Amino acid sequence: GAVVSQHPSRVICKSGTSVKIECRSLDFQATTMFWYRQFPKQSLMLMATSNEGSKATYEQGVEKDKFLINHASLTLSTLTVTSAHPEDSSFYICSARQRQNEKLFFGSGTQLSVL
Amino acid sequence: QKEVEQDPGPLSVPEGAIVSLNCTYSNSAFQYFMWYRQYSRKGPELLMYTYSSGNKEDGRFTAQVDKSSKYISLFIRDSQPSDSATYLCAMSAGTSYDKVIFGPGTSLSVIP
């Protein structure tokens, strides 16, 4: 299957700092990329939908000024958690939808811990 | 009513058993159906992908879609301990700007 690379896999930061997470589709062009948050033993919670060259669409309750999404190309999207606080600690996962068949492929996830 | 319903389990079966996982949905516009497997603290892995109704088989896995009943299934034959994971169904209407809607996931344990 297609490969989506997500980095970093784990990050620990101090409260108040910003953290950037990268999501790349390595061998296909993605029409759309999605960002999710997942708490232990819970399902994926969609945070935002990102289309190349346009502004991201955020789900209700997700602060767009806190979670900045940039989708610069058909293969790269970034999520920046600005001024992170301990309550932002979570597992963040990206996915990319393949242009030709609508298949969705996931990155390996990023565990963010804010101290 | 949620768009996609899935029994969260946990489901526990002995090694070698046939496992049946199911989802129901309410949106008749859905036409792309997927099953993902997620191990703890990892990203979901695409297992099966089906367009419209019908069956699809890949090794020990069989996916079935019944659009008339709005019901999809994933069967795992000869289950192995390595199949222990959370299984998520997912579906979309298929235009590039549609969201992919996920079920809450079923936790499966295959006991040796």
Side-chain angles (χ1 to χ4, degrees), chain A residues 11-19 37 66 81-90 92 111-115:
Chain A
V11 59
I12 301 172
C13 68
K14 292 183 179 179
S15 186
T17 60
S18 294
V19 175
R37 190 170 176 175
K66 173 161 220 30
V81 183
T82 62
S83 187
H85 290 283
E87 59 265 29
D88 298 323
S89 298
S90 188
Y92 293 87
Q111 181 64 52
L112 171 64
S113 300
V114 185
L115 305 177

Side-chain angles (χ1 to χ4, degrees), chain B residues 22-63:
Chain B
N22 311 292
C23 287
T24 59
Y25 62 95
S26 58
N27 188 346
S28 58
F30 288 149
Q31 50 182 347
Y32 292 89
F33 303 92
M34 291 155 279
W35 285 95
Y36 289 87
R37 176 175 62 195
Q38 185 178 24
Y39 294 110
S40 180
R41 287 289 164 245
K42 300 289 184 185
E45 171 194 0
L46 179 63
L47 281 179
M48 300 292 283
Y49 168 83
T50 310
Y51 172 69
S52 195
S53 282
N55 294 357
K56 186 172 184 178
E57 188 173 321
D58 184 0
R60 296 185 295 111
F61 300 93
T62 300

